[in-house]
Amino acid sequence: MSSPSFESTRRRLTEKQAETVDRLTQAGVEVLREQEFAGLTVRAVASRAGVGPATAYTYFSSKEHLVAEIFWRRLQSSPVVDGDGLDRTARVLAVLRNIALLIADEPAVSAAVTNALLGADPDVEHLRGRIGAEIHGRLAAALGPGSDPDLIETLELLYAGALLRAGMGYGTYAHIAGRLEASARLILE
């Protein structure tokens, strides 16, 4: 028997449970591509994943929680920027661009992530904290040792505002990623 793996759902999971969560998150993306966020239900995702609704709700408290988990997994699996040979500004811009483009090629998923991360579900709040800590860590690493905490927070605010604008339809995520870079450059240079 393999050791349990930690998932950001609600508890430690066995290998079989982790596979079920994987199926649910993959099915969630498929349903989002067809129905968008308004049409997404945990019940529809469970059906697509081949599990019962009660099983799905064991892992995800809401559709917002499921979508936040999808984003968390994308962020966790995205490569950390290799900043060798880059100056501080280039490292930070690469981090911001990579994170902004995680879901840029999937508009329905992107819009759902914006909606989900604004939710008040305690499980979403937990994931939002983990997502924020991951982004904070990547920005701090790109800025280098002894970086100004106010600068990191400014860049976090810039990133959050840019993605909110994209989620509200003020431009595509690819366009917003470019604007994010230009704005960050103004701050850093």
Side-chain angles (χ1 to χ4, degrees), residues 1 13 21 29 32 34 40 54 62 64 92 95 99 124 128 133 137 149 153 164 168 176 186-187:
M1 175 153 178
L13 303 176
V21 171
V29 170
L32 278 171
E34 296 168 7
L40 179 76
S62 64
E64 291 83 3
V92 170
V95 167
I99 296 170
V124 172
R128 198 169 43 232
E153 185 176 9
L164 182 60
M168 292 170 59
I176 294 294
L186 290 171
I187 293 167

Side-chain angles (χ1 to χ4, degrees), residues 90-147:
R91 288 190 309 267
V92 170
L93 295 179
V95 167
L96 290 171
R97 177 169 276 287
N98 286 352
I99 296 170
L101 293 177
L102 278 177
I103 50 178
D105 59 343
E106 297 184 89
V109 175
S110 301
V113 167
T114 299
N115 281 304
L117 290 179
L118 293 173
D121 179 325
D123 292 314
V124 172
E125 290 177 10
H126 170 75
L127 280 169
R128 198 169 43 232
R130 292 181 79 181
I131 290 164
E134 179 68 21
I135 292 169
H136 180 91
R138 290 184 186 201
L139 288 170
L143 286 167
S147 52

Side-chain angles (χ1 to χ4, degrees), residues 23-24 27-28 31 35 37-58 60-64 66:
R23 285 198 333 264
L24 287 165
V31 172
Q35 304 290 322
F37 190 66
L40 179 76
T41 65
V42 174
R43 185 175 295 279
V45 170
S47 176
R48 175 73 58 100
V51 302
T55 299
Y57 278 111
T58 298
F60 299 107
S61 57
S62 64
K63 71 180 187 178
E64 291 83 3
L66 172 65

